[in-house]
Amino acid sequence: MLLHYLIVFFVSMVPLIELRGAIPFSQGFGLPLIPSYIVSIIGNMLPVPFIYFFARKVLIWGADKPVIGKFFGWCLEKGEKGGKKLQAKAGRGLFLALLLFVGIPVPGTGAWTGTLAASILDMDFKSSVIAVMLGVLLAGVIMMLISVGAFSMIR
């Protein structure tokens, strides 16, 4: 069972999969819902400070490198587009927009992209982390409801 929790923890740290994939994994393993939710949140939030402070710098550094340049450039472009779109729609409500961007579990949104966008938009660290955390909590609740519903139909 500990191995399954570790898998859930590490899956929740993977970009693009994040908590949105970790919670369904946990239900596939038959793990209890609340501990899985907590493990997924911790795993999803752990990279956030590193993304905020370092991802933009690393992506800019690697954008012109031969092997990784195309991928790093794509990530940087995605973060910039997401940030600009978020800022254009939100205006002064950027905190709420970031929360909803992270919290509504659709492909391309989540803690990684939201934190990168906040970093690119130069949002302050504390507001960014709080908005991302609330978004992750919201996404977790949505994914729990979806997972419980889906797995109850299968079982």
Side-chain angles (χ1 to χ4, degrees):
M1 188 149 101
L2 179 62
L3 178 61
H4 291 152
Y5 278 115
L6 282 172
I7 291 170
V8 168
F9 177 77
F10 286 115
V11 166
S12 69
M13 293 175 72
V14 175
L16 301 175
I17 298 173
E18 302 182 33
L19 168 132
R20 292 150 171 75
I23 290 177
F25 259 95
S26 75
Q27 295 313 287
F29 290 140
L31 297 173
L33 197 55
I34 300 302
S36 300
Y37 176 70
I38 293 167
V39 168
S40 297
I41 288 169
I42 293 168
N44 201 186
M45 287 301 296
L46 193 63
V48 166
F50 301 100
I51 297 165
Y52 183 86
F53 289 115
F54 302 114
R56 183 176 174 186
K57 293 173 184 164
V58 170
L59 291 173
I60 290 170
W61 168 83
D64 63 347
K65 302 298 183 262
V67 176
I68 58 174
K70 192 172 185 175
F71 177 70
F72 278 37
W74 176 81
C75 290
L76 192 58
E77 183 180 323
K78 182 163 182 53
E80 287 174 352
K81 280 184 182 177
K84 288 176 184 172
K85 189 183 288 186
L86 201 60
Q87 193 169 37
K89 287 183 180 179
R92 296 175 62 133
L94 194 54
F95 178 89
L96 182 60
L98 180 59
L99 185 157
L100 293 173
F101 179 81
V102 173
I104 298 173
V106 295
T109 67
W112 281 75
T113 309
T115 304
L116 181 58
S119 171
I120 289 170
L121 292 173
D122 293 321
M123 281 182 71
D124 69 286
F125 177 71
K126 184 178 176 183
S127 295
S128 299
V129 170
I130 292 170
V132 169
M133 173 64 120
L134 292 172
V136 166
L137 292 170
L138 174 62
V141 168
I142 293 169
M143 290 311 301
M144 280 194 315
L145 294 172
I146 292 170
S147 296
V148 167
F151 280 97
S152 69
M153 290 187 328
I154 294 171
R155 292 181 182 156

